Amino acid sequence: MSRSITQSSSFINFYYSFFVVFYIAFSIHANAQEHPNLILTKSGVETIKKQLGTIPIFDTTLNKVKNAIDQEIASGIHVPIPKDMAGGYTHDRHKKNWITLQQAGVLYQLLADDKYAKYVHDVLKEYAKIYPTLPLHPQTRSYARGKIFWQCLNDSNWLVYVSQAYDCIYDYLSKKERDNLEKNLFIPYANFLSEGSPQFFNRIHNHSTWGNVAVGMIGLVMDNQELIDRALYGLKSDNIDPNQKDNDGGFIKTKGQKTGFLANLDEPFSPDGYYTEGPYYQRYAMYPFMIFAEALQNKKPELKIFEYKNGVLIKAVYALLNLTNANGEFFPLNDGQKGMSYYSRELVSAVNIAYHFGGNDPSLLSIAKQQNRIQLDDTGLSVALGIQQKKAKPFIKKSIELRDGSDGTQGSVGILRSKNQQFGLVMKYTAQGLSHGHYDKLSFSYYNKGNEILQDYGLARFVNIEQKNGGGYLKENKTWAKQSIAHNTIIQDEISHFEGKFKIGSTHHSEKYLFDVSNPKLQIVSAKEDNAYPGTNLHRTMLVLEDNDFENPLVIDVMQFKSKTTHQFDLPFYYNGQIIDTNFEYSSPETLTKVGEKNGYQHLWLEGKSILKEERTLQTTWKANQTFYTLSTLAKQNDEFLFTRIGANDPNFNLRRDPSFLIRKPKQEEGVFISVVEAHGSYNYVTEIANNAHSNIKKITKNSTKNKNYVSWSILTKKDKKHTFVLCTTDSNNKTSHTITINGKPFSWVGPYTHNKEN
């Protein structure tokens, strides 16, 4: 009897243990499959629901989204057969669908109203009906055509957003409904973007980042490890032709190149968070980078994605915020559309995620307050609570150097700013920037009070405006915007840097010489370029001087060149505004002619010209945004000063009619352009009074050093205050002692440069 009871107890204990193990295993699996679990989380949704109605910025954002989505639902379901380029009806409709679906999914979770889940499912069912039989998009312009859109890039955008919607309604759907969507839509969609488009997916480029993330996001929702691995590490084989190029002339893939999401974190980002394609495309890529990182952190925290490459993703957000002017607009380096700013939805998302996962930096809250909307998830709640609790502190944009290259050794972007952040000088001495890069080594742009004074042209494209080449890049992007003459940099013999060839340019980068902002009254950035033209060495040094002799910070530009043979050297300055006065005579032609025949020169009209008969300081004053600006430049005998304007060979008005000054030094082997840009005075349109409309500079002189390792110049004011500068061009060590004679007078100092003021 006792033995029988004992056996019975053992039997019960065995099955009880088995049940416990099974229950734990089942619970772990169930939790792993709990939805939502990407951007929204189950616990996060509950926390948000408890806070609704108590946090103004969150509630305001939610109400705006709800009103917009309710209108969309009322308008019905729109899933047209793809036909149009960017800006056309079908393109814009499918683009609107991806945002609508994502937001409707969020509303279902936060408001627990089934109408939003039903709408998402009804729309996705329509996509599942048409997708299996969709051919490639009828527009054949892209190197990687999509199905819903003209390029795989936009198809990837769609899936990144729609994956979030699917995650939000996953538990609302029956297994049969999920099977239908996955079999007929999501799995073939992910396979098309990856295995079906390897030239798009297996790249180092913002395009492939979107593709990687699209496949990874839907893989996370479906718990499909194969798709997740494909997203993280790329396709194992792709058979990509090593000579294949994209539409911008960039190579698809180099030999031995790693692929996948992690490779796109490793290669394009520098240790400082600068993205080699430039801020415009960094902004565009930050959404997939950050949203996938958030999803991975929520679902696969063991990857520690925000710690990857020493936290480069969080650094990238700060880098982007620093790559803006006083109005928050990104500097248009490389291909970049002017006006794009940190008010974009990508940066709203990035700032929220960086705040939540990057240590709750209160300075990010001040940016979020300016943006005045948040992401409707856990990260947005963190930001909303931080703002409500008055934790925000100002985000101070200081002078900064952002290195380029995966290891930070391929040049940099140097930004010099005034203490009040109203003034900004941006000098570019980077790598090529992949296929979106421009041929503009050692170029610069200058901002004052948030306005472009000396500008970078940016891209030649009307994004999503159908009438202009279907919203795509214009041919003038290659014939003008990428060319060296389109930038404020030096050009030899009217030929672009690296002959305007990507294959050459992509193998070189400029070299930093000096970046010193330790003295806020005299900041300096200096870099060299020895490969833009064979046998020619270029060295540009720019300084920002704040001194009582000048009303505003003074920009000093010293552009040196040295070649083994004789050449023509041009240095343009693209200004915004209207000319007020010059201190020299010039001729203006009755009939406009082109400045040149190719390499961008064919797009410039010649509006005026002066040939110097003697060495002197030329001055041109213009007015922009109620402020006067004067360019003073030292010119030698036979130098030329050209007034030019963009617009030649442009019958479709694809280019802006912007003006420039072009200083030309013909038939020289070596020399230097020394120029000063001075902001002064003001003009009041109400009182019609001009104040301090004249430059305070009398002349610029180049000083004799009798030592080719140094360059020296002086600036003399109209009150006879003399500022003398000396730069050692071969030793940037800040501990080296120097003693030289300048114009018969000894100068001694420590460090690569010195400034001396004589009253």
Side-chain angles (χ1 to χ4, degrees):
M1 180 73 175
S2 61
R3 182 176 180 182
S4 176
I5 293 174
T6 302
Q7 288 175 335
S8 178
S9 297
S10 299
F11 182 81
I12 292 171
N13 288 336
F14 171 80
Y15 276 98
Y16 176 78
S17 299
F18 177 83
F19 174 79
V20 169
V21 171
F22 176 82
Y23 177 80
I24 292 173
F26 178 83
S27 297
I28 292 173
H29 181 70
N31 288 334
Q33 290 301 305
E34 192 175 69
H35 294 272
N37 59 18
L38 298 189
I39 310 309
L40 282 170
T41 63
K42 204 74 173 177
S43 60
V45 168
E46 295 306 314
T47 301
I48 291 171
K49 285 180 177 179
K50 293 176 183 177
Q51 300 282 352
L52 291 181
T54 67
I55 310 175
I57 192 171
F58 198 101
D59 295 330
T60 299
T61 302
L62 181 63
N63 288 334
K64 287 182 179 178
V65 170
K66 183 180 184 301
N67 290 337
I69 299 308
D70 285 347
Q71 290 181 32
E72 274 301 307
I73 292 176
S75 75
I77 294 172
H78 312 279
V79 183
I81 296 299
K83 181 183 68 173
D84 302 317
M85 284 283 291
Y89 167 71
T90 64
H91 178 98
D92 286 357
R93 183 64 253 180
H94 290 296
K95 181 177 179 180
K96 193 169 188 177
N97 283 352
W98 83 49
I99 295 174
T100 302
L101 290 170
Q102 188 266 342
Q103 293 180 338
V106 170
L107 291 177
Y108 167 65
Q109 285 293 330
L110 300 186
L111 302 180
D113 188 335
D114 285 359
K115 80 172 183 180
Y116 298 111
K118 182 179 184 304
Y119 173 77
V120 172
H121 182 223
D122 288 347
V123 174
L124 290 180
K125 277 196 302 182
E126 293 303 311
Y127 276 106
K129 286 179 184 177
I130 68 170
Y131 196 81
T133 59
L134 275 184
L136 291 178
H137 196 280
Q139 299 289 345
T140 60
R141 298 267 294 280
S142 175
Y143 76 100
R145 290 159 65 191
K147 289 191 174 184
I148 296 177
F149 298 92
W150 69 280
Q151 57 177 347
C152 281
L153 176 60
N154 301 102
D155 281 45
S156 297
N157 290 180
W158 188 94
L159 189 55
V160 168
Y161 282 87
V162 173
S163 295
Q164 299 171 54
Y166 185 44
D167 180 47
C168 286
I169 70 162
Y170 191 93
D171 290 338
Y172 168 84
L173 303 175
S174 67
K175 184 178 184 304
K176 182 179 180 181
E177 290 168 332
R178 290 196 296 267
D179 288 345
N180 173 51
L181 295 180
E182 293 180 10
K183 177 183 177 182
N184 293 304
L185 180 59
F186 293 130
I187 291 177
Y189 202 125
N191 287 336
F192 167 71
L193 288 177
S194 52
E195 294 175 334
S197 310
Q199 79 281 16
F200 165 77
F201 192 79
N202 260 22
R203 297 189 66 187
I204 299 299
H205 198 277
N206 76 80
H207 286 194
S208 53
T209 296
W210 276 98
N212 299 155
V213 171
V215 172
M217 291 285 280
I218 198 64
L220 286 174
V221 180
M222 301 186 299
D223 205 32
N224 185 319
Q225 192 61 45
E226 180 183 353
L227 292 182
I228 296 169
D229 288 343
R230 195 183 296 173
L232 291 172
Y233 309 109
L235 298 169
K236 293 180 180 179
S237 62
D238 51 38
N239 297 317
I240 294 174
D241 182 346
N243 296 312
Q244 187 175 357
K245 296 181 180 181
D246 64 14
N247 298 97
D248 300 307
F251 288 107
I252 299 295
K253 186 181 179 184
T254 59
K255 186 177 181 180
Q257 176 182 296
K258 293 182 179 179
T259 58
F261 179 76
L262 297 180
N264 272 287
L265 278 177
D266 285 325
E267 291 299 317
F269 283 106
S270 79
D272 298 332
Y274 177 76
Y275 189 69
T276 194
E277 293 186 56
Y280 180 76
Y281 277 98
Q282 180 168 351
R283 174 272 324 170
Y284 179 59
M286 283 313 292
Y287 184 80
F289 273 122
M290 296 298 282
I291 210 74
F292 191 40
E294 180 179 2
L296 289 170
Q297 186 66 29
N298 285 333
K299 190 158 183 181
K300 292 186 175 294
E302 67 276 7
L303 289 177
K304 298 182 179 180
I305 194 64
F306 286 108
E307 297 176 27
Y308 193 83
K309 196 177 178 180
N310 295 317
V312 73
L313 277 174
I314 302 298
K315 291 179 182 178
V317 177
Y318 286 90
L320 261 180
L321 295 175
N322 277 298
L323 286 162
T324 61
N325 64 17
N327 297 327
E329 297 173 343
F330 297 114
F331 302 133
L333 306 177
N334 294 330
D335 284 340
Q337 176 159 264
K338 293 176 184 287
M340 179 56 72
S341 73
Y342 61 49
Y343 293 98
S344 67
R345 66 174 181 269
E346 297 93 344
L347 263 292
V348 170
S349 174
V351 167
N352 288 190
I353 294 170
Y355 177 80
H356 184 75
F357 292 107
N360 301 133
D361 178 2
S363 72
L364 293 179
L365 295 177
S366 66
I367 302 294
K369 284 182 68 176
Q370 293 177 51
Q371 293 169 333
N372 198 31
R373 66 190 195 278
I374 46 86
Q375 186 165 271
L376 295 174
D377 67 353
D378 304 25
T379 69
L381 179 64
S382 293
V383 168
L385 287 171
I387 292 173
Q388 185 187 48
Q389 294 163 8
K390 299 182 179 180
K391 294 181 179 180
K393 293 183 179 180
F395 186 94
I396 305 298
K397 288 183 277 191
K398 302 178 181 178
S399 296
I400 189 173
E401 183 180 41
L402 296 169
R403 294 172 292 169
D404 195 5
S406 61
D407 60 356
T409 62
Q410 297 182 25
S412 307
V413 171
I415 306 170
L416 305 182
R417 285 191 165 97
S418 60
K419 187 176 181 180
N420 63 9
Q421 301 184 72
Q422 293 300 304
F423 167 93
L425 177 74
V426 186
M427 182 170 160
K428 181 183 175 219
Y429 43 107
T430 63
Q432 180 62 30
L434 302 181
S435 60
H436 284 296
H438 288 193
Y439 302 97
D440 61 338
K441 294 295 183 269
L442 309 186
S443 66
F444 85 99
S445 53
Y446 162 43
Y447 293 78
N448 193 25
K449 302 174 185 176
N451 300 306
E452 283 184 305
I453 307 306
L454 294 169
Q455 64 154 333
D456 188 305
Y457 188 87
L459 54 71
R461 179 185 182 185
F462 293 78
V463 182
N464 288 328
I465 297 179
E466 185 182 21
Q467 301 96 311
K468 288 291 190 181
N469 195 37
Y473 279 96
L474 301 163
K475 64 180 178 63
E476 288 81 6
N477 200 58
K478 293 180 180 178
T479 62
W480 168 253
K482 285 179 177 281
Q483 301 294 330
S484 301
I485 186 58
H487 304 82
N488 302 315
T489 191
I490 192 168
I491 303 98
Q492 177 179 295
D493 296 333
E494 300 186 14
I495 299 171
S496 287
H497 300 168
F498 311 112
E499 301 176 38
K501 295 179 180 179
F502 178 81
K503 186 175 183 179
I504 303 174
S506 61
T507 61
H508 298 290
H509 59 83
S510 299
E511 295 285 354
K512 166 190 172 178
Y513 180 69
L514 177 65
F515 184 85
D516 185 1
V517 295
S518 58
N519 178 4
K521 297 295 185 180
L522 182 61
Q523 303 179 70
I524 183 170
V525 56
S526 182
K528 297 183 178 184
E529 175 54 58
D530 297 329
N531 298 292
Y533 300 105
T536 299
N537 305 112
L538 306 174
H539 186 177
R540 190 170 211 163
T541 301
M542 305 198 76
L543 305 94
V544 175
L545 173 68
E546 294 191 45
D547 188 273
N548 292 334
D549 288 345
F550 305 100
E551 183 181 352
N552 293 295
L554 204 66
V555 176
I556 303 168
D557 177 29
V558 180
M559 180 74 248
Q560 299 169 266
F561 58 90
K562 183 178 181 180
S563 182
K564 296 177 180 178
T565 53
T566 300
H567 300 281
Q568 170 186 290
F569 291 92
D570 292 341
L571 184 63
F573 292 87
Y574 288 89
Y575 67 95
N576 284 313
Q578 186 168 3
I579 292 177
I580 299 298
D581 187 32
T582 68
N583 71 346
F584 57 91
E585 294 182 354
Y586 56 88
S587 60
S588 295
E590 293 184 4
T591 302
L592 294 179
T593 58
K594 297 174 294 184
V595 176
E597 297 298 326
K598 56 185 178 179
N599 303 320
Y601 281 79
Q602 74 276 20
H603 290 301
L604 284 177
W605 290 121
L606 178 63
E607 295 188 333
K609 184 175 182 178
S610 178
I611 300 177
L612 276 294
K613 297 179 181 179
E614 60 184 2
E615 182 172 314
R616 59 175 298 197
T617 300
L618 303 183
Q619 292 187 313
T620 306
T621 298
W622 72 99
K623 181 173 67 69
N625 303 300
Q626 298 179 264
T627 301
F628 295 98
Y629 296 89
T630 297
L631 171 71
S632 301
T633 188
L634 177 61
K636 296 172 63 177
Q637 184 179 3
N638 296 323
D639 284 359
E640 300 175 12
F641 193 101
L642 281 60
F643 297 90
T644 72
R645 188 174 300 273
I646 305 167
N649 282 314
D650 183 30
N652 296 320
F653 297 93
N654 287 336
L655 299 174
R656 301 190 303 270
R657 270 42 183 169
D658 297 340
S660 77
F661 310 124
L662 192 154
I663 307 163
R664 172 168 286 174
K665 293 183 179 294
K667 298 180 181 180
Q668 295 194 26
E669 290 185 11
E670 63 179 292
V672 59
F673 295 86
I674 302 176
S675 306
V676 177
V677 183
E678 175 190 9
H680 55 92
S682 62
Y683 182 80
N684 188 305
Y685 288 104
V686 176
T687 64
E688 297 182 325
I689 294 176
N691 173 54
N692 194 23
H694 295 275
S695 169
N696 190 36
I697 293 175
K698 181 185 290 185
K699 70 175 181 178
I700 302 170
T701 57
K702 182 178 181 297
N703 301 317
S704 173
T705 64
K706 295 183 180 180
N707 188 325
K708 292 188 176 182
N709 294 324
Y710 298 86
V711 61
S712 176
W713 66 95
S714 296
I715 300 171
L716 186 67
T717 72
K718 290 181 177 177
K719 293 183 178 180
D720 291 327
K721 303 290 182 67
K722 187 177 183 181
H723 293 260
T724 298
F725 302 82
V726 191
L727 171 72
C728 176
T729 59
T730 55
D731 185 352
S732 61
N733 191 314
N734 60 11
K735 296 181 180 180
T736 301
S737 297
H738 303 267
T739 299
I740 64 170
T741 299
I742 299 175
N743 297 335
K745 181 179 179 180
F747 272 73
S748 296
W749 75 95
V750 176
Y753 66 98
T754 186
H755 165 232
N756 181 62
K757 178 179 176 180
E758 300 176 41
N759 293 322

